[in-house]
Amino acid sequence: MVAVTGAVTSEVNSVPIAELRPADSPRLAGEDSGHVETLAQSGTAFDPILVHRATRRVVDGMHRLRAAAMRGERQIRVRYLDGPEEEIFIRSVEANVAHGLPLTLGDRRAAATRILASHPGWSDRAIARTTGLSPKTVGAIRRRSSEENPQSSARVGQDGRIRPVDPVEGRRAAVALLTERPEATLREISQAVGISSSTAHEVRRLLRQGEDPLRLAGRVPRQDRRALPARTAQRSRTPEPADRSGILERLAKDPSLRFTESGRLLLRWLGTHDFDARTGQELIAAVPPHCAAAVADLASSFAREWSRFAEELAQRADVPDDGRPKAS
């Protein structure tokens, strides 16, 4: 799970019950006495419980521990969790969601509220996976608790990557930091403003190239365009359908494209890939529901390739035929 670093040992140890401390349980009502008695009378051997090695606190298995004591046993088999003490509650929630006596909805909501307070940078989806709630429910809990809990400008997703809540604000903060400290490392930028190292690298690259570092998926907030150099602002503008037709017409008249095989191939390729919003809606309507996900994946893949294609051409536009960069 994201941001959890502790490791569970594979070795099983026999430990005196009297040495163990009660769990920091996510169960609001504590242990279920009926479940403890059922376990005690089952006569079966229990799976090892999970114990935090440094504190000797039970992480998962309090019902088994109580049942073993009810049987009169003095020892219990354990596996150790090695890691920070602040992970104990999160590990306990994960374990109780995954198996054993289910947590109630109230237990899981309370656990989400507590994790939001201790780990405000975790994404709704990451907390949902830990607590067995839906991301929508976690989001509602976050909004209700926003007055009491500090809200981070970034979220840590299930994959461990940092993503800012407002990507433009994260990039803007990185620009300010790089302006003040151009020698700052990518790690320092990432940690200081809550963006990923890859985003920090992109912002630095765009700044060095004199391009727009606030660009996000090829779009720039309208209020920021006035501050951009004329060439950068023009490049970041997405042409309207009418503009695209005019561009295609001008390209089709260019001799360097019309009279070369590769140029004619490019013109045909551009022409077949041009469509407006109405055409897009017609194509969407033509896609059967069972094919929608596959077509969406292909469209996203094509979009990424087109974006890379546009980036390389934009960089080439700044280098004339003599190979020297254009003067700003």
Side-chain angles (χ1 to χ4, degrees):
M1 175 55 60
V2 60
V4 175
T5 58
V8 177
T9 62
S10 58
E11 180 184 0
V12 176
N13 298 272
S14 183
V15 176
I17 292 177
E19 292 184 4
L20 301 179
R21 299 171 61 192
D24 183 6
S25 175
R27 301 182 188 278
L28 299 177
E31 293 94 35
D32 185 316
S33 58
H35 187 58
V36 171
E37 186 171 354
T38 299
L39 289 175
Q41 294 178 359
S42 66
T44 60
F46 300 140
D47 291 334
I49 66 174
L50 184 61
V51 174
H52 187 245
R53 189 193 300 270
T55 61
R56 314 294 277 184
R57 185 179 290 279
V58 176
V59 178
D60 175 45
M62 278 302 301
H63 286 113
R64 282 168 282 166
L65 180 68
R66 299 299 189 201
M70 184 177 290
R71 287 177 177 179
E73 299 173 3
R74 296 186 178 182
Q75 303 270 334
I76 193 168
R77 296 190 305 154
V78 309
R79 282 193 173 94
Y80 285 117
L81 168 67
D82 293 312
E85 187 172 356
E86 57 267 23
E87 288 186 8
I88 295 177
F89 180 75
I90 294 172
R91 288 282 193 168
S92 182
V93 174
E94 289 177 354
N96 282 279
V97 165
H99 62 81
L101 187 65
L103 295 176
T104 67
L105 178 59
D107 293 338
R108 288 179 278 129
R109 286 178 176 271
T113 301
R114 179 168 168 180
I115 295 173
L116 278 167
S118 62
H119 295 73
W122 277 29
S123 69
D124 292 345
R125 192 173 296 277
I127 296 174
R129 182 174 176 181
T130 298
T131 58
L133 296 170
S134 70
K136 184 177 179 180
T137 298
V138 175
I141 295 172
R142 187 191 296 273
R143 289 191 293 273
R144 285 198 299 270
S145 62
S146 60
E147 294 183 359
E148 292 83 13
N149 297 331
Q151 297 299 300
S152 171
S153 62
R155 297 283 183 266
V156 182
Q158 296 181 74
D159 56 3
R161 295 179 61 187
I162 300 172
R163 296 176 176 85
V165 176
D166 185 339
V168 174
E169 285 301 322
R171 289 170 178 245
R172 184 179 288 111
V175 170
L177 177 59
L178 281 167
T179 302
E180 180 181 350
R181 295 175 52 207
E183 77 288 351
T185 66
L186 296 180
R187 177 178 296 231
E188 290 171 342
I189 299 167
S190 174
Q191 293 178 346
V193 304
I195 61 176
S196 67
S197 296
S198 60
T199 301
H201 178 271
E202 182 184 9
V203 169
R204 168 175 277 169
R205 176 181 64 80
L206 292 172
L207 277 175
R208 288 176 174 174
Q209 293 176 351
E211 298 187 27
D212 169 33
L214 301 182
R215 178 174 54 209
L216 182 65
R219 303 187 65 179
V220 182
R222 186 177 300 276
Q223 65 272 21
D224 293 320
R225 292 185 182 179
R226 290 172 294 180
L228 300 178
R231 186 177 67 227
T232 303
Q234 182 178 7
R235 182 183 304 152
S236 63
R237 183 179 66 86
T238 301
E240 296 297 327
D243 297 336
R244 294 203 299 266
S245 297
I247 293 172
L248 286 171
E249 288 180 7
R250 290 195 300 273
L251 290 174
K253 296 176 181 178
D254 191 311
S256 61
L257 295 176
R258 288 180 60 190
F259 300 120
T260 63
E261 183 176 352
S262 59
R264 289 192 295 270
L265 174 62
L266 174 63
L267 290 173
R268 288 195 299 271
W269 191 50
L270 291 172
T272 57
H273 287 77
D274 179 42
F275 66 89
D276 56 21
R278 177 178 296 179
T279 303
Q281 289 301 315
E282 291 175 355
L283 291 174
I284 290 173
V287 177
H290 67 277
C291 298
V295 175
D297 287 343
L298 282 173
S300 296
S301 177
F302 294 154
R304 287 193 294 271
E305 293 301 326
W306 270 105
S307 180
R308 281 193 285 268
F309 181 72
E311 287 291 331
E312 293 184 15
L313 286 176
Q315 294 176 14
R316 185 175 180 180
D318 285 337
V319 182
D321 292 340
D322 61 6
R324 292 178 297 178
K326 292 180 181 178
S328 299

